[in-house]
Coordinates of all heavy atoms in Angstrom, one line a residue:
R1182 N 17.1 -9.2 6.1 CA 18.4 -8.5 6.0 C 19.6 -9.4 6.4 O 20.6 -9.4 5.8 CB 18.4 -7.2 6.9 CG 19.6 -6.3 6.6 CD 19.8 -5.3 7.6 NE 18.7 -4.3 7.7 CZ 18.7 -3.3 8.6 NH1 19.7 -3.1 9.4 NH2 17.7 -2.5 8.7
L1183 N 19.3 -10.1 7.5 CA 20.4 -11.0 8.0 C 20.7 -12.1 7.0 O 21.8 -12.4 6.7 CB 19.9 -11.6 9.4 CG 20.9 -12.5 10.1 CD1 22.1 -11.6 10.6 CD2 20.3 -13.1 11.3
F1184 N 19.6 -12.7 6.5 CA 19.7 -13.7 5.5 C 20.5 -13.3 4.3 O 21.4 -14.0 3.8 CB 18.3 -14.2 5.1 CG 18.3 -15.2 4.0 CD1 18.4 -16.6 4.3 CD2 18.2 -14.8 2.6 CE1 18.4 -17.5 3.2 CE2 18.2 -15.8 1.6 CZ 18.3 -17.1 1.9
V1185 N 20.2 -12.1 3.8 CA 20.9 -11.5 2.6 C 22.4 -11.3 2.8 O 23.2 -11.6 2.0 CB 20.1 -10.2 2.1 CG1 20.9 -9.5 1.1 CG2 18.8 -10.6 1.6
H1186 N 22.7 -10.7 4.0 CA 24.1 -10.5 4.4 C 24.8 -11.8 4.4 O 25.9 -12.0 3.8 CB 24.2 -9.9 5.7 CG 24.0 -8.4 5.7 ND1 22.8 -7.8 5.5 CD2 24.9 -7.4 5.8 CE1 23.0 -6.4 5.5 NE2 24.2 -6.2 5.7
A1187 N 24.2 -12.8 5.0 CA 24.9 -14.1 5.2 C 25.0 -14.8 3.8 O 26.1 -15.3 3.5 CB 24.0 -15.0 6.1
F1188 N 24.0 -14.7 3.0 CA 24.0 -15.4 1.7 C 25.1 -14.8 0.7 O 25.8 -15.5 0.1 CB 22.6 -15.3 1.0 CG 22.6 -16.2 -0.1 CD1 22.4 -17.5 -0.1 CD2 22.7 -15.6 -1.4 CE1 22.4 -18.3 -1.2 CE2 22.7 -16.4 -2.5 CZ 22.5 -17.8 -2.4
I1189 N 25.1 -13.4 0.7 CA 26.0 -12.8 -0.3 C 27.4 -13.1 0.2 O 28.3 -13.5 -0.6 CB 25.8 -11.2 -0.3 CG1 24.5 -10.9 -1.0 CG2 27.0 -10.5 -1.0 CD1 24.2 -9.5 -1.2
S1190 N 27.7 -13.0 1.5 CA 29.0 -13.2 2.0 C 29.4 -14.7 1.7 O 30.6 -15.0 1.2 CB 29.1 -13.0 3.5 OG 30.4 -13.0 4.0
L1191 N 28.5 -15.6 1.9 CA 28.8 -17.0 1.7 C 29.1 -17.3 0.3 O 30.0 -18.0 -0.1 CB 27.6 -17.9 2.2 CG 27.8 -19.4 2.1 CD1 28.9 -19.9 3.0 CD2 26.5 -20.1 2.5
F1192 N 28.3 -16.8 -0.6 CA 28.4 -17.1 -2.1 C 29.7 -16.5 -2.7 O 30.3 -17.1 -3.5 CB 27.2 -16.7 -2.8 CG 26.5 -18.0 -3.4 CD1 25.7 -18.7 -2.6 CD2 26.7 -18.4 -4.7 CE1 25.0 -19.9 -3.1 CE2 26.1 -19.5 -5.2 CZ 25.3 -20.3 -4.4
V1193 N 30.0 -15.3 -2.2 CA 31.2 -14.6 -2.7 C 32.4 -15.5 -2.2 O 33.4 -15.7 -2.9 CB 31.3 -13.2 -2.2 CG1 32.6 -12.6 -2.5 CG2 30.2 -12.4 -2.9
S1194 N 32.3 -15.9 -0.9 CA 33.4 -16.7 -0.4 C 33.6 -18.0 -1.1 O 34.7 -18.5 -1.2 CB 33.2 -16.9 1.1 OG 33.2 -15.7 1.8
L1195 N 32.5 -18.6 -1.5 CA 32.6 -19.9 -2.2 C 33.3 -19.8 -3.5 O 34.0 -20.7 -3.9 CB 31.2 -20.5 -2.4 CG 30.4 -21.1 -1.2 CD1 29.1 -21.6 -1.6 CD2 31.3 -22.3 -0.7
S1196 N 33.1 -18.6 -4.2 CA 33.8 -18.4 -5.4 C 35.3 -18.2 -5.2 O 36.1 -18.4 -6.1 CB 33.2 -17.2 -6.1 OG 31.8 -17.3 -6.2
F1197 N 35.6 -17.6 -4.0 CA 37.0 -17.2 -3.7 C 37.5 -18.0 -2.5 O 38.2 -17.5 -1.6 CB 37.1 -15.7 -3.4 CG 36.7 -14.9 -4.5 CD1 35.8 -13.8 -4.3 CD2 37.0 -15.1 -5.8 CE1 35.4 -12.9 -5.3 CE2 36.6 -14.3 -6.9 CZ 35.8 -13.2 -6.6
L1198 N 37.2 -19.3 -2.5 CA 37.5 -20.2 -1.3 C 39.0 -20.3 -1.1 O 39.7 -20.6 -2.0 CB 36.9 -21.5 -1.5 CG 36.4 -22.3 -0.2 CD1 35.5 -21.5 0.6 CD2 35.7 -23.6 -0.6
Q1199 N 39.5 -20.1 0.2 CA 40.9 -20.2 0.6 C 41.8 -19.7 -0.4 O 42.5 -20.5 -1.1 CB 41.1 -21.7 1.0 CG 40.4 -22.2 2.2 CD 40.8 -21.4 3.5 OE1 42.0 -21.1 3.6 NE2 39.9 -21.0 4.3
L1200 N 41.9 -18.4 -0.6 CA 42.7 -17.8 -1.6 C 44.2 -18.0 -1.3 O 44.6 -18.0 -0.1 CB 42.4 -16.3 -1.7 CG 41.1 -15.9 -2.2 CD1 40.8 -14.5 -2.1 CD2 40.9 -16.4 -3.7
G1201 N 45.0 -18.2 -2.4 CA 46.4 -18.4 -2.2 C 47.1 -17.1 -2.2 O 46.6 -16.1 -1.9
H1202 N 48.4 -17.1 -2.7 CA 49.3 -15.9 -2.7 C 49.7 -15.5 -4.1 O 50.7 -14.8 -4.2 CB 50.5 -16.1 -1.8 CG 50.2 -16.2 -0.3 ND1 51.0 -15.8 0.7 CD2 49.0 -16.6 0.3 CE1 50.5 -16.0 1.8 NE2 49.2 -16.5 1.6
G1203 N 49.0 -16.0 -5.1 CA 49.3 -15.6 -6.5 C 48.8 -14.2 -6.8 O 48.0 -13.6 -6.1
T1204 N 49.1 -13.7 -8.0 CA 48.7 -12.4 -8.4 C 47.2 -12.4 -8.7 O 46.5 -11.4 -8.5 CB 49.4 -11.9 -9.7 OG1 49.3 -12.9 -10.7 CG2 50.8 -11.6 -9.4
R1205 N 46.7 -13.6 -9.3 CA 45.2 -13.7 -9.5 C 44.5 -13.6 -8.2 O 43.4 -13.0 -8.1 CB 44.9 -14.9 -10.3 CG 43.6 -14.8 -11.2 CD 43.4 -15.9 -12.1 NE 44.3 -16.0 -13.2 CZ 45.1 -17.1 -13.4 NH1 45.1 -18.1 -12.6 NH2 46.0 -17.1 -14.4
D1206 N 45.0 -14.4 -7.2 CA 44.4 -14.4 -5.9 C 44.4 -13.0 -5.3 O 43.4 -12.7 -4.5 CB 45.1 -15.4 -4.9 CG 45.0 -16.8 -5.4 OD1 43.9 -17.1 -5.9 OD2 45.9 -17.6 -5.3
L1207 N 45.4 -12.3 -5.6 CA 45.5 -10.9 -5.1 C 44.3 -10.1 -5.6 O 43.6 -9.4 -4.9 CB 46.8 -10.3 -5.5 CG 47.1 -8.8 -5.1 CD1 47.3 -8.8 -3.6 CD2 48.3 -8.3 -5.8
Q1208 N 44.1 -10.3 -6.9 CA 42.9 -9.6 -7.6 C 41.6 -10.0 -7.0 O 40.7 -9.2 -6.7 CB 43.0 -9.9 -9.1 CG 42.0 -9.1 -9.9 CD 42.3 -7.6 -10.0 OE1 43.4 -7.2 -10.2 NE2 41.3 -6.7 -9.7
Y1209 N 41.5 -11.3 -6.7 CA 40.3 -11.8 -6.1 C 40.0 -11.3 -4.7 O 38.9 -11.1 -4.2 CB 40.2 -13.4 -6.1 CG 40.2 -14.0 -7.5 CD1 40.6 -15.2 -7.8 CD2 39.7 -13.2 -8.6 CE1 40.5 -15.8 -9.1 CE2 39.6 -13.7 -9.8 CZ 40.0 -15.0 -10.1 OH 39.9 -15.5 -11.3
R1210 N 41.1 -11.1 -3.9 CA 41.0 -10.5 -2.6 C 40.3 -9.1 -2.7 O 39.5 -8.7 -1.9 CB 42.3 -10.4 -1.9 CG 42.8 -11.7 -1.3 CD 44.2 -11.6 -0.7 NE 44.9 -12.9 -0.6 CZ 44.8 -13.6 0.5 NH1 44.2 -13.2 1.5 NH2 45.3 -14.8 0.5
V1211 N 40.8 -8.4 -3.7 CA 40.2 -7.0 -4.0 C 38.7 -7.1 -4.3 O 37.9 -6.4 -3.7 CB 41.0 -6.3 -5.1 CG1 40.3 -5.0 -5.4 CG2 42.4 -6.2 -4.8
F1212 N 38.4 -8.1 -5.2 CA 37.0 -8.2 -5.5 C 36.1 -8.7 -4.3 O 35.0 -8.2 -4.1 CB 36.8 -9.3 -6.6 CG 37.1 -8.8 -8.0 CD1 37.7 -9.5 -9.0 CD2 36.7 -7.4 -8.3 CE1 37.9 -9.0 -10.3 CE2 36.9 -7.0 -9.6 CZ 37.5 -7.8 -10.6
G1213 N 36.7 -9.6 -3.5 CA 36.0 -10.0 -2.3 C 35.7 -8.9 -1.3 O 34.7 -8.8 -0.7

Side-chain angles (χ1 to χ4, degrees):
R1182 190 195 298 182
L1183 185 66
F1184 174 86
V1185 168
H1186 277 73
F1188 187 81
I1189 289 181
S1190 189
L1191 182 66
F1192 246 80
V1193 170
S1194 297
L1195 283 177
S1196 309
F1197 303 134
L1198 209 55
Q1199 290 302 316
L1200 294 171
H1202 289 209
T1204 51
R1205 205 174 292 120
D1206 292 326
L1207 181 69
Q1208 188 68 46
Y1209 292 159
R1210 281 175 201 270
V1211 178
F1212 280 144

